[in-house]
């Protein structure tokens, strides 16, 4: 028999479940998560709920660090796009008086972790979204194109 998943929601849910199983059952995955994500992201990531409240209060700059073609296909409303590869050269265009929240493809995507590290090293107040666009969409939240 051949099985296939129908729709992005099924894929996102499956990948999330596989990730949680791996984190729980594999010492190597736990070590990578702790050493890479944990040590590089000393502030707790923002939840979707926290981000929505900050967007409503207009006190956050939402930064999508995925490649431009992915951003054009869909992004979180109010987000600006500066791909990680371009971030260092465009850093002066970012405000220093607002919290910046970076996001990318999901909880295991390193783009947002790298963006947070780069921006913090330059003195910005920055956090990352705990997940990414696929999880945002799966939660039924609005996407802009």
């Amino acid at each position: 028999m051949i099985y296939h998943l129908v729709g992005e929601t099924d894929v996102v849910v499956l990948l999330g479940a596989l990730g949680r199983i791996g984190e729980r059952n594999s010492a190597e995955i736990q070590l990578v998560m702790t050493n890479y994500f944990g040590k590089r992201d000393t502030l707790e990531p923002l939840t979707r709920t926290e981000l929505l409240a900050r967007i409503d209060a207009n006190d956050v700059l939402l930064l999508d660090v995925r490649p431009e073609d992915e951003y054009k296909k869909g992004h979180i409303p109010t987000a600006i796009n500066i791909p990680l590869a371009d971030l260092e050269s465009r850093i002066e265009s970012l405000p220093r008086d607002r919290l910046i929240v970076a996001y990318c493809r999901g909880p295991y995507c390193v783009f947002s972790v790298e963006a947070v590290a780069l921006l913090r090293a330059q003195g910005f107040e920055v956090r990352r979204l705990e997940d990414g666009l696929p999880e945002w969409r799966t939660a039924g939240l609005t996407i802009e194109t």
Side-chain angles (χ1 to χ4, degrees):
M1 294 209 144
I2 297 175
Y3 295 93
H4 68 288
L5 298 172
V6 178
E8 182 180 12
T9 299
D10 294 334
V11 173
V12 171
V13 170
L14 175 62
L15 290 176
L18 290 173
R20 287 187 299 278
I21 289 168
E23 287 177 40
R24 187 176 60 234
N25 296 326
S26 171
E28 291 84 6
I29 292 175
Q30 290 173 0
L31 186 62
V32 167
M33 294 302 290
T34 300
N35 286 338
Y36 188 80
F37 288 94
K39 288 183 180 175
R40 297 195 68 143
D41 196 11
T42 55
L43 291 178
E44 243 182 78
L46 233 59
T47 66
R48 274 179 260 139
T49 303
E50 292 169 319
L51 178 58
L52 284 166
R54 288 186 169 263
I55 290 171
D56 285 344
N58 198 31
D59 72 345
V60 66
L61 174 76
L62 188 54
L63 180 63
D64 185 322
V65 293
R66 298 173 304 144
E68 185 178 359
D69 62 323
E70 291 181 38
Y71 174 83
K72 286 180 178 179
K73 290 178 184 172
H75 56 272
I76 298 173
T78 77
I80 65 165
N81 178 236
I82 302 178
L84 181 61
D86 301 336
L87 186 56
E88 194 165 5
S89 66
R90 294 178 55 192
I91 205 164
E92 292 307 319
S93 68
L94 296 173
R96 292 188 175 270
D97 61 344
R98 293 175 73 187
L99 172 66
I100 297 172
V101 176
Y103 78 91
C104 57
R105 297 173 179 149
Y108 303 108
C109 179
V110 298
F111 290 167
S112 60
V113 175
E114 294 292 328
V116 166
L118 174 67
L119 291 170
R120 280 193 191 148
Q122 297 294 320
F124 287 88
E125 181 186 4
V126 60
R127 292 176 66 187
R128 70 178 176 88
L129 182 60
E130 71 178 350
D131 46 31
L133 185 71
E135 293 80 12
W136 184 274
R137 186 179 315 214
T138 299
L141 298 168
T142 303
I143 301 292
E144 286 182 348
T145 54

